[in-house]
Amino acid sequence: VQLQASGGGLVQAGGSLRLSCVASGRTFSTYRMAWFRQAPGKEREFVATITWADSRTSYADSVKGRFTISRDNAKNTVYLQMNSLKPEDTAVYYCAARIATGVYFYTKASSFGSWGQGTQVTVSS
């Protein structure tokens, strides 16, 4: 599967951005989609994940209540709505995909085999 992320930019603290990730190349009913982020000098960290078939979601504690992951099956697109942004949200954001069934949520970057190119999000104070 190929992934194309977009929607990053520069925003002031307290502002909002919506990231998009378009997937192509396969049928997606058994795919888990996720967003990760990586700040300079830090490891890539989990942000949010969603199942393609039934939209079950899971979030990192640091973004709960501020970020929302969703998907549009008709457009093969996953979104990350980011509200109440903080300077510490500044990072390159990546979308990722893996085939998965069942109820387990994968939150490690090493569990995902397909990655988009990343989109920069910068939050100024």
Coordinates of all heavy atoms in Angstrom, one line a residue, residues 11-59:
V11 N 1.2 26.9 12.7 CA 0.0 27.4 13.4 C 0.4 27.9 14.8 O 1.4 27.4 15.4 CB -1.0 26.3 13.5 CG1 -0.5 25.1 14.4 CG2 -2.3 26.8 14.0
Q12 N -0.3 28.9 15.3 CA -0.1 29.4 16.7 C -0.6 28.4 17.7 O -1.6 27.6 17.4 CB -0.7 30.7 16.8 CG 0.0 31.8 16.1 CD -0.5 33.2 16.4 OE1 -1.6 33.4 16.8 NE2 0.4 34.2 16.3
A13 N -0.1 28.4 18.9 CA -0.6 27.6 20.0 C -2.1 27.9 20.2 O -2.5 29.0 20.1 CB 0.2 27.9 21.3
G14 N -2.8 26.8 20.4 CA -4.3 26.9 20.5 C -5.0 26.8 19.2 O -6.3 26.6 19.2
G15 N -4.3 26.8 18.1 CA -4.9 26.6 16.8 C -5.2 25.2 16.4 O -5.0 24.3 17.2
S16 N -5.6 25.0 15.1 CA -6.0 23.7 14.7 C -5.4 23.4 13.3 O -5.2 24.3 12.5 CB -7.5 23.6 14.6 OG -8.2 23.7 15.8
L17 N -5.2 22.2 13.0 CA -4.8 21.7 11.7 C -5.5 20.3 11.4 O -5.8 19.6 12.4 CB -3.3 21.5 11.6 CG -2.4 22.7 11.4 CD1 -0.9 22.3 11.5 CD2 -2.7 23.4 10.1
R18 N -5.7 20.0 10.2 CA -6.2 18.7 9.8 C -5.2 18.0 8.8 O -5.0 18.6 7.7 CB -7.6 18.7 9.2 CG -8.2 17.3 9.0 CD -9.6 17.3 8.5 NE -9.6 17.5 7.1 CZ -10.7 17.2 6.3 NH1 -11.7 16.6 6.8 NH2 -10.6 17.4 5.0
L19 N -4.7 16.9 9.2 CA -3.8 16.1 8.3 C -4.6 15.1 7.6 O -5.6 14.6 8.1 CB -2.7 15.4 9.2 CG -1.9 16.3 10.1 CD1 -0.8 15.5 10.8 CD2 -1.3 17.5 9.3
S20 N -4.2 14.8 6.4 CA -4.9 13.8 5.5 C -3.8 12.8 5.1 O -2.7 13.1 4.9 CB -5.5 14.4 4.3 OG -6.5 15.4 4.7
C21 N -4.3 11.5 4.9 CA -3.4 10.5 4.4 C -4.2 9.6 3.4 O -5.2 9.0 3.8 CB -2.9 9.6 5.6 SG -1.9 8.2 5.0
V22 N -3.9 9.7 2.2 CA -4.5 9.0 1.1 C -3.8 7.7 0.9 O -2.6 7.6 0.7 CB -4.6 9.8 -0.2 CG1 -5.3 9.0 -1.2 CG2 -5.3 11.1 0.1
A23 N -4.5 6.5 0.9 CA -4.0 5.2 0.7 C -4.4 4.7 -0.6 O -5.5 4.9 -1.1 CB -4.4 4.3 1.8
S24 N -3.4 4.0 -1.3 CA -3.7 3.4 -2.6 C -3.0 2.1 -2.8 O -2.0 1.8 -2.1 CB -3.3 4.4 -3.7 OG -1.9 4.6 -3.6
G25 N -3.5 1.3 -3.7 CA -2.8 0.1 -4.0 C -3.4 -1.2 -3.5 O -3.1 -2.3 -4.0
R26 N -4.3 -1.2 -2.5 CA -4.9 -2.4 -2.0 C -6.3 -2.2 -1.5 O -6.7 -1.1 -1.4 CB -4.0 -2.9 -0.8 CG -2.6 -3.3 -1.1 CD -2.6 -4.6 -1.9 NE -3.2 -5.7 -1.2 CZ -2.5 -6.5 -0.4 NH1 -1.2 -6.3 -0.1 NH2 -3.1 -7.5 0.2
T27 N -7.0 -3.3 -1.2 CA -8.3 -3.1 -0.5 C -8.0 -3.0 1.0 O -7.0 -3.6 1.5 CB -9.2 -4.3 -0.7 OG1 -8.5 -5.5 -0.3 CG2 -9.5 -4.4 -2.2
F28 N -8.7 -2.2 1.7 CA -8.3 -1.8 3.0 C -9.2 -2.2 4.2 O -9.0 -1.8 5.3 CB -8.3 -0.2 3.0 CG -7.4 0.3 2.0 CD1 -7.9 0.9 0.8 CD2 -6.0 0.3 2.1 CE1 -7.1 1.3 -0.2 CE2 -5.2 0.7 1.1 CZ -5.7 1.3 -0.1
S29 N -10.0 -3.2 3.9 CA -11.0 -3.6 5.0 C -10.2 -4.2 6.2 O -10.8 -4.2 7.3 CB -12.0 -4.6 4.4 OG -11.4 -5.7 3.9
T30 N -9.0 -4.8 6.0 CA -8.3 -5.4 7.1 C -7.1 -4.5 7.6 O -6.3 -5.0 8.3 CB -7.9 -6.8 6.8 OG1 -7.0 -6.7 5.6 CG2 -9.1 -7.7 6.5
Y31 N -7.0 -3.3 7.1 CA -5.9 -2.5 7.5 C -6.1 -1.7 8.7 O -7.2 -1.1 9.0 CB -5.6 -1.5 6.3 CG -4.6 -2.1 5.3 CD1 -5.0 -3.0 4.4 CD2 -3.2 -1.8 5.4 CE1 -4.1 -3.5 3.5 CE2 -2.4 -2.3 4.5 CZ -2.8 -3.2 3.5 OH -1.9 -3.8 2.7
R32 N -5.1 -1.6 9.6 CA -5.0 -0.6 10.6 C -4.2 0.6 10.1 O -3.2 0.4 9.6 CB -4.3 -1.1 11.9 CG -5.0 -2.3 12.5 CD -6.3 -1.9 13.2 NE -7.1 -3.0 13.6 CZ -6.9 -3.7 14.8 NH1 -5.9 -3.3 15.6 NH2 -7.6 -4.7 15.1
M33 N -4.8 1.8 10.4 CA -4.1 3.0 10.0 C -3.7 3.7 11.3 O -4.4 3.6 12.3 CB -5.0 3.9 9.1 CG -5.6 3.2 7.9 SD -4.3 2.7 6.7 CE -3.7 4.4 6.2
A34 N -2.6 4.4 11.2 CA -2.2 5.1 12.4 C -1.4 6.4 12.0 O -0.9 6.5 10.9 CB -1.3 4.2 13.2
W35 N -1.3 7.3 13.0 CA -0.5 8.5 12.8 C 0.6 8.4 13.9 O 0.3 8.0 15.1 CB -1.3 9.7 13.0 CG -2.2 10.1 11.9 CD1 -3.5 9.8 11.8 CD2 -1.8 10.8 10.7 NE1 -4.0 10.3 10.6 CE2 -2.9 10.9 9.9 CE3 -0.6 11.4 10.2 CZ2 -2.9 11.5 8.7 CZ3 -0.6 12.0 9.0 CH2 -1.8 12.1 8.2
F36 N 1.8 8.7 13.5 CA 3.0 8.8 14.4 C 3.6 10.2 14.2 O 3.3 10.9 13.2 CB 4.0 7.7 14.1 CG 3.6 6.3 14.5 CD1 2.8 5.6 13.8 CD2 4.2 5.8 15.7 CE1 2.4 4.3 14.2 CE2 3.8 4.5 16.1 CZ 3.0 3.8 15.3
R37 N 4.4 10.6 15.1 CA 5.1 11.8 14.9 C 6.6 11.7 15.5 O 6.8 10.9 16.3 CB 4.4 13.0 15.6 CG 4.4 12.9 17.2 CD 3.5 14.0 17.7 NE 3.4 13.9 19.2 CZ 2.6 14.7 19.9 NH1 1.8 15.6 19.3 NH2 2.7 14.6 21.2
Q38 N 7.4 12.5 14.9 CA 8.8 12.5 15.3 C 9.4 13.9 15.4 O 9.4 14.6 14.4 CB 9.7 11.7 14.4 CG 11.1 11.4 14.9 CD 11.8 10.3 14.1 OE1 11.4 10.0 13.0 NE2 12.8 9.8 14.6
A39 N 9.7 14.3 16.6 CA 10.3 15.6 16.8 C 11.9 15.5 16.7 O 12.4 14.4 16.9 CB 10.0 16.1 18.2
P40 N 12.6 16.6 16.4 CA 14.0 16.5 16.3 C 14.7 15.9 17.5 O 14.4 16.3 18.6 CB 14.4 18.0 16.1 CG 13.2 18.6 15.5 CD 12.0 17.9 16.2
G41 N 15.6 15.0 17.3 CA 16.3 14.3 18.4 C 15.5 13.3 19.2 O 16.0 12.8 20.2
K42 N 14.3 13.1 18.8 CA 13.5 12.1 19.6 C 13.0 10.9 18.7 O 13.1 11.0 17.5 CB 12.2 12.8 20.1 CG 12.5 13.9 21.1 CD 11.3 14.5 21.7 CE 11.6 15.5 22.8 NZ 10.3 16.0 23.4
E43 N 12.6 9.9 19.4 CA 12.1 8.7 18.7 C 10.7 9.0 18.1 O 10.0 9.8 18.6 CB 12.1 7.5 19.6 CG 13.5 7.0 20.0 CD 13.4 5.8 20.8 OE1 12.3 5.3 21.1 OE2 14.5 5.2 21.2
R44 N 10.4 8.2 17.1 CA 9.1 8.3 16.5 C 8.1 7.8 17.5 O 8.3 6.7 18.1 CB 9.0 7.5 15.2 CG 7.8 7.8 14.4 CD 7.9 7.2 13.0 NE 9.0 7.8 12.3 CZ 9.2 7.6 11.0 NH1 8.5 6.8 10.3 NH2 10.3 8.2 10.4
E45 N 7.0 8.5 17.8 CA 6.0 8.1 18.8 C 4.6 8.0 18.2 O 4.2 8.7 17.3 CB 6.0 9.1 20.0 CG 5.5 10.5 19.6 CD 5.4 11.4 20.9 OE1 5.6 10.9 22.0 OE2 5.0 12.6 20.7
F46 N 3.9 7.1 18.8 CA 2.5 6.9 18.5 C 1.6 8.0 18.8 O 1.8 8.7 19.9 CB 2.0 5.6 19.2 CG 0.5 5.4 19.1 CD1 0.0 4.9 18.0 CD2 -0.3 5.6 20.2 CE1 -1.4 4.7 17.9 CE2 -1.6 5.4 20.2 CZ -2.2 4.9 19.0
V47 N 0.7 8.4 17.9 CA -0.3 9.4 18.2 C -1.7 8.9 18.2 O -2.4 9.1 19.2 CB -0.2 10.5 17.1 CG1 -1.3 11.6 17.3 CG2 1.2 11.2 17.0
A48 N -2.1 8.2 17.2 CA -3.5 7.6 17.1 C -3.6 6.5 16.1 O -2.8 6.5 15.2 CB -4.5 8.8 16.8
T49 N -4.6 5.7 16.2 CA -4.8 4.6 15.3 C -6.3 4.4 15.1 O -7.1 4.7 16.0 CB -4.1 3.3 15.7 OG1 -4.2 2.3 14.7 CG2 -4.7 2.8 17.0
I50 N -6.7 3.8 14.0 CA -8.1 3.5 13.7 C -8.2 2.3 12.8 O -7.3 2.0 12.0 CB -8.7 4.7 13.0 CG1 -10.2 4.5 12.8 CG2 -8.1 5.0 11.6 CD1 -11.0 5.8 12.3
T51 N -9.2 1.5 13.1 CA -9.4 0.3 12.3 C -10.2 0.7 11.0 O -11.0 1.7 11.1 CB -10.2 -0.8 13.0 OG1 -11.5 -0.2 13.4 CG2 -9.5 -1.3 14.2
W52 N -9.9 0.1 9.9 CA -10.6 0.5 8.7 C -12.0 0.1 8.6 O -12.9 0.7 8.1 CB -9.8 0.0 7.5 CG -10.1 0.8 6.3 CD1 -11.1 0.7 5.4 CD2 -9.3 2.0 5.8 NE1 -11.1 1.7 4.4 CE2 -10.0 2.5 4.7 CE3 -8.2 2.6 6.3 CZ2 -9.5 3.6 4.0 CZ3 -7.7 3.7 5.6 CH2 -8.4 4.2 4.5
A53 N -12.3 -1.1 9.2 CA -13.6 -1.7 9.0 C -14.7 -1.1 9.9 O -15.8 -0.9 9.5 CB -13.5 -3.2 9.2
D54 N -14.3 -0.9 11.2 CA -15.4 -0.4 12.1 C -15.0 0.8 12.9 O -15.7 1.2 13.9 CB -15.7 -1.6 13.1 CG -14.4 -2.1 13.8 OD1 -13.4 -1.5 13.7 OD2 -14.6 -3.1 14.5
S55 N -13.9 1.5 12.5 CA -13.5 2.8 13.1 C -13.3 2.8 14.6 O -13.5 3.8 15.2 CB -14.6 3.8 12.7 OG -14.7 4.1 11.4
R56 N -12.8 1.7 15.1 CA -12.4 1.7 16.5 C -11.1 2.5 16.6 O -10.3 2.4 15.7 CB -12.2 0.3 17.1 CG -13.5 -0.4 17.3 CD -13.3 -1.8 17.9 NE -12.5 -2.6 17.0 CZ -11.2 -3.1 17.3 NH1 -10.7 -2.7 18.4 NH2 -10.6 -3.9 16.4
T57 N -10.9 3.3 17.6 CA -9.8 4.2 17.7 C -9.1 4.1 19.1 O -9.6 3.6 20.1 CB -10.2 5.7 17.6 OG1 -11.2 6.0 18.6 CG2 -10.9 6.0 16.3
S58 N -7.8 4.5 19.0 CA -7.0 4.6 20.2 C -6.1 5.7 20.1 O -5.6 6.0 19.0 CB -6.2 3.3 20.4 OG -5.4 3.3 21.6
Y59 N -5.8 6.4 21.2 CA -4.9 7.6 21.2 C -3.8 7.6 22.3 O -4.0 6.9 23.3 CB -5.8 8.8 21.5 CG -6.9 9.1 20.5 CD1 -8.2 8.6 20.6 CD2 -6.6 9.9 19.4 CE1 -9.1 8.8 19.7 CE2 -7.6 10.2 18.5 CZ -8.9 9.6 18.6 OH -9.8 9.9 17.7

